[in-house]
Amino acid sequence: MTEERLKNLKSADISKGFTIDKYNDDQEYGKSPVQKAVVVFKAMELLKAKNIHGDK
Amino acid sequence: MTTLVLTSTELLKTKRMSIGTISHGRKKVAEGRWVPVKRAISKKDTTGLTYALKDAVRNKESVIANLDHEKCFVFDKAGKVVFEKTGKENRIEFSNEEMDKLQGTEIFTHNHPGGGSFSPEDIQFTWLRQIKEIRAVCTDYEYSAKITKEWKAGVWNAFVDRMSLIYGQVKVGFWREIDEGSITADQARIEHWHKVWSKMADVTPAFEYTREKRK
């Protein structure tokens, strides 16, 4: 999930309207191994930073 | 226990018949024969919703469940449609004025042609407009989410942070399962947000989430 999306999720500004379901992030399951590795790495870094362990 | 109101004609008909079963506002009086059953519209079920509202939502959801583009309906407590909008293949856009109309409404339902559960923006939208219940339907499932308390911005932001962590965990877990061959990428795509919201509901007070198989 991108930083920009997270920022938008935390925003309560609806002065320009609002759109639901515009991201296709669940389509990432069809990504290449390299793209996948980047997302996994970022997720692990986030988990480490928050000291939360993933599923075992 | 449900109280049913029958018209005099229906009552005469049903008196002559054996005991049947009641489903979706009709009474089965004999094999292949059904008579309509009128319910008191203000009568509430165990969830506190009126039958009129539940019937209205169910009717509209059956219309939109299999569409190839998104469409939404918004209901008031009495089951009246107060707003509807047709969107695109994978999104619905609301103007500022439309957002104002949705404030505090009872049920917002829409369809997800892709079959998955709520996007984070669906839940954000529910929080921003203080909608009592958001629903999504597709061919196989119906999804429901509720935020049962008024959340300040700080509570919402903490919810988003937690969600983004669980999002990463779920994604890594499903990729592992795809690599092992235990699920397909399509199955992961359908299950992704369902798993995220199920986990969020487990750890978040005042956040309720359910998924049911469509009948």
Side-chain angles (χ1 to χ4, degrees), chain A residues 5 9-10 18 21 28-29, chain B residues 90 94 156 161 171 192:
Chain A
R5 189 179 184 188
L9 279 169
K10 291 180 180 179
F18 195 87
D21 303 334
E28 283 182 346
Y29 287 112
Chain B
N90 62 348
F94 301 99
W156 170 254
D161 285 338
K171 188 141 276 186
H192 175 84

Side-chain angles (χ1 to χ4, degrees), chain A residues 1 5-32 35-37 39-41 43-44 46-47 50 52-56, chain B residues 70 90-96 99 108 110 112 119-122 124-125 128-129 156-157 160-165 167-172 174-176 178-179 185 188-189 192-193 199:
Chain A
M1 193 170 288
R5 189 179 184 188
L6 283 174
K7 191 178 156 195
N8 288 336
L9 279 169
K10 291 180 180 179
S11 167
D13 179 17
I14 55 165
S15 60
K16 293 176 184 168
F18 195 87
T19 302
I20 56 171
D21 303 334
K22 62 182 169 182
Y23 292 95
N24 285 325
D25 44 3
D26 48 6
Q27 302 294 339
E28 283 182 346
Y29 287 112
K31 276 190 168 178
S32 72
Q35 289 172 311
K36 231 164 76 171
V39 176
V40 171
F41 177 77
M44 297 311 284
L46 251 178
L47 293 174
K50 298 277 181 180
I52 292 173
H53 301 287
D55 288 338
K56 295 190 175 161
Chain B
E70 294 202 13
N90 62 348
R91 66 175 64 187
I92 307 177
E93 295 169 11
F94 301 99
S95 68
N96 193 15
M99 288 295 278
F108 174 98
H110 67 310
H112 279 176
S119 66
E121 288 73 19
D122 281 333
Q124 180 189 19
F125 171 77
L128 284 171
R129 296 294 80 192
W156 170 254
N157 289 346
V160 172
D161 285 338
R162 169 65 63 177
M163 182 272 299
S164 73
L165 290 170
Y167 170 94
Q169 287 179 313
V170 168
K171 188 141 276 186
V172 170
F174 274 151
W175 262 331
R176 190 186 303 138
I178 292 169
D179 289 342
R189 187 179 56 74
H192 175 84
W193 284 113
K199 284 176 174 249

Side-chain angles (χ1 to χ4, degrees), chain B:
Chain B
M1 193 68 184
T2 306
T3 303
L4 300 168
V5 181
L6 299 179
T7 63
S8 55
T9 315
E10 288 162 355
L11 195 58
L12 279 172
K13 279 184 190 170
T14 55
K15 270 185 176 176
R16 292 195 293 269
M17 304 297 175
S18 59
I19 296 170
T21 55
I22 294 167
S23 172
H24 300 293
R26 295 187 305 166
K27 184 177 174 68
K28 189 175 185 182
V29 290
E31 197 54 47
R33 291 195 61 192
W34 295 78
V35 295
V37 175
K38 289 187 178 175
R39 296 190 183 105
I41 59 165
S42 59
K43 187 80 183 169
K44 292 178 179 176
D45 73 355
T46 52
T47 64
L49 299 177
T50 62
Y51 283 112
L53 174 56
K54 290 192 86 172
D55 285 347
V57 171
R58 190 183 293 122
N59 286 341
K60 292 299 184 190
E61 287 181 345
S62 67
V63 172
I64 62 176
N66 299 312
L67 293 180
D68 61 1
H69 58 275
E70 294 202 13
K71 185 173 174 71
C72 71
F73 290 97
V74 183
F75 299 85
D76 67 10
K77 276 185 183 174
K80 184 183 163 197
V81 174
V82 293
F83 179 86
E84 66 178 274
K85 185 161 190 180
T86 299
K88 296 176 183 168
E89 183 188 348
N90 62 348
R91 66 175 64 187
I92 307 177
E93 295 169 11
F94 301 99
S95 68
N96 193 15
E97 293 74 28
E98 288 170 333
M99 288 295 278
D100 284 345
K101 288 182 192 169
L102 300 172
Q103 178 68 33
T105 45
E106 198 69 16
I107 293 183
F108 174 98
T109 190
H110 67 310
N111 62 313
H112 279 176
S117 186
F118 301 110
S119 66
E121 288 73 19
D122 281 333
I123 305 299
Q124 180 189 19
F125 171 77
T126 307
W127 170 67
L128 284 171
R129 296 294 80 192
Q130 296 180 309
I131 295 165
K132 307 280 192 315
E133 179 182 1
I134 185 167
R135 296 174 57 82
V137 288
C138 58
T139 306
D140 294 327
Y141 296 108
E142 52 189 61
Y143 303 93
S144 163
K146 296 175 190 171
I147 298 170
T148 58
K149 277 188 179 171
E150 196 176 321
W151 284 354
K152 302 284 184 205
V155 178
W156 170 254
N157 289 346
F159 181 84
V160 172
D161 285 338
R162 169 65 63 177
M163 182 272 299
S164 73
L165 290 170
I166 290 178
Y167 170 94
Q169 287 179 313
V170 168
K171 188 141 276 186
V172 170
F174 274 151
W175 262 331
R176 190 186 303 138
E177 289 184 50
I178 292 169
D179 289 342
E180 289 167 358
S182 54
I183 61 167
T184 65
D186 267 352
Q187 286 170 325
R189 187 179 56 74
I190 300 286
E191 294 297 317
H192 175 84
W193 284 113
H194 170 62
K195 192 158 186 180
V196 171
W197 301 127
S198 297
K199 284 176 174 249
M200 287 298 288
D202 286 344
V203 297
T204 311
F207 178 67
E208 296 177 7
Y209 170 77
T210 60
R211 176 174 83 172
E212 288 180 20
K213 193 92 178 151
R214 275 182 64 75
K215 292 162 190 161

